[in-house]
Amino acid sequence: MSNTNTKQQMSETHLLGLLLALVGGFLDAYTYICRGHVFANAQTGNLVLLGVYLTNGDWSKAFHYFMPVLAFVLGILICEMIQSRLKWKQSFHWRQAVVFLEFMILVISGFLPLGPSNAAVNIMVSFICALQVEAFRKMNGNTFATTMCTGNLRSATENLYLYTKTRNRKLLRNSLQYYNVILFFILGAAVGGFLTLRLGKEAVWISCVGLVAVFFAMFRKAE
């Protein structure tokens, strides 16, 4: 595939980045509010707590925090397997297969009861967030993430600073796009929190609307 076609991919547009950031923020709010006060999108906290409980010899709790990390690693591996098998399909983009898999897992998670199933749902969300962060890594040629914001915040601020030094409008555009992704992540978290408090565990199905929009948008070519 030529570089021109790569640049034309809808999956790397600003629009899809915003939609996926909405989903990422929604899921973080969902797992925190009704699945045991856990942020399942990023694994830094799980790794810290894993180390703490290993040091204390609390193997049960260490295992509890090890499982989402393992699910995240598995999600990266599965995403790479999907890419290697479907990358050159013309009628069906490999990233659409990733989004479809995310959709199916979230539908299933909405049926699992609160309490005993929280750990399983958090593992499932960690898995799909790994799929998403691995599959959607570029936005208009720039590296970004849709399930966490630290890297986006760094890149947004770095580009803004460089713009003040060079007056290169491309750097300003990059900065604003990163800040937009962060804003939509926050918006997704706000909507996710609002709906989760009112709908409970089934609220996760609302996030599937964003994935459906992403899935069908990828049938179009970017402008």
Side-chain angles (χ1 to χ4, degrees):
M1 186 175 293
S2 67
N3 290 335
T4 301
N5 289 335
T6 301
K7 292 178 182 178
Q8 295 288 322
Q9 288 182 2
M10 188 67 173
S11 57
E12 296 184 2
T13 61
H14 186 46
L15 173 61
L16 257 68
L18 298 181
L19 288 173
L20 290 166
L22 277 173
V23 175
F26 191 110
L27 292 176
D28 240 3
Y30 172 78
T31 57
Y32 183 81
I33 290 173
C34 79
R35 293 297 185 177
H37 297 284
V38 171
F39 293 116
N41 286 11
Q43 299 305 310
T44 303
N46 289 330
L47 289 169
V48 170
L49 291 171
L50 172 62
V52 169
Y53 288 117
L54 284 175
T55 301
N56 294 336
D58 193 334
W59 309 115
S60 176
K61 287 187 177 180
F63 181 76
H64 174 79
Y65 288 103
F66 172 72
M67 290 306 294
V69 176
L70 181 61
F72 194 91
V73 172
L74 181 61
I76 300 296
L77 294 174
I78 294 297
C79 184
E80 287 300 313
M81 291 172 61
I82 292 173
Q83 179 182 8
S84 65
R85 291 176 180 272
L86 301 179
K87 186 172 183 178
W88 305 113
K89 294 287 185 181
Q90 296 297 318
S91 59
F92 190 79
H93 199 288
W94 68 270
R95 291 187 177 96
Q96 287 176 297
V98 170
V99 170
F100 181 76
L101 181 57
E102 286 188 58
F103 174 86
M104 294 303 299
I105 293 173
L106 288 180
V107 169
I108 293 170
S109 67
F111 287 105
L112 299 180
L114 299 176
S117 299
N118 286 351
V121 171
N122 289 329
I123 289 171
M124 293 163 72
V125 172
S126 294
F127 176 78
I128 67 170
C129 286
L131 292 175
Q132 186 167 306
V133 79
E134 181 69 6
F136 298 91
R137 294 186 292 178
K138 294 286 186 178
M139 179 178 64
N140 292 335
N142 297 311
T143 302
F144 85 123
T146 59
T147 63
M148 57 198 80
C149 288
T150 304
N152 294 335
L153 186 59
R154 181 199 62 80
S155 296
T157 308
E158 178 183 55
N159 277 272
L160 182 60
Y161 173 77
L162 291 175
Y163 167 73
T164 64
K165 301 291 287 185
T166 65
R167 296 300 172 181
N168 184 334
R169 295 190 64 82
K170 181 180 179 181
L171 294 170
L172 178 61
R173 184 186 66 184
N174 290 343
S175 177
L176 293 176
Q177 288 186 352
Y178 277 118
Y179 281 126
N180 281 344
V181 170
I182 295 169
L183 179 62
F184 271 70
F185 187 92
I186 295 171
L187 179 60
V191 173
F194 178 83
L195 293 176
T196 301
L197 289 172
R198 284 152 181 79
L199 301 177
K201 62 185 179 66
E202 290 87 2
V204 73
W205 293 334
I206 305 298
S207 67
C208 293
V209 175
L211 294 178
V212 170
V214 169
F215 181 87
F216 284 105
M218 279 190 283
F219 281 114
R220 300 181 57 192
K221 290 188 179 295
E223 295 293 335

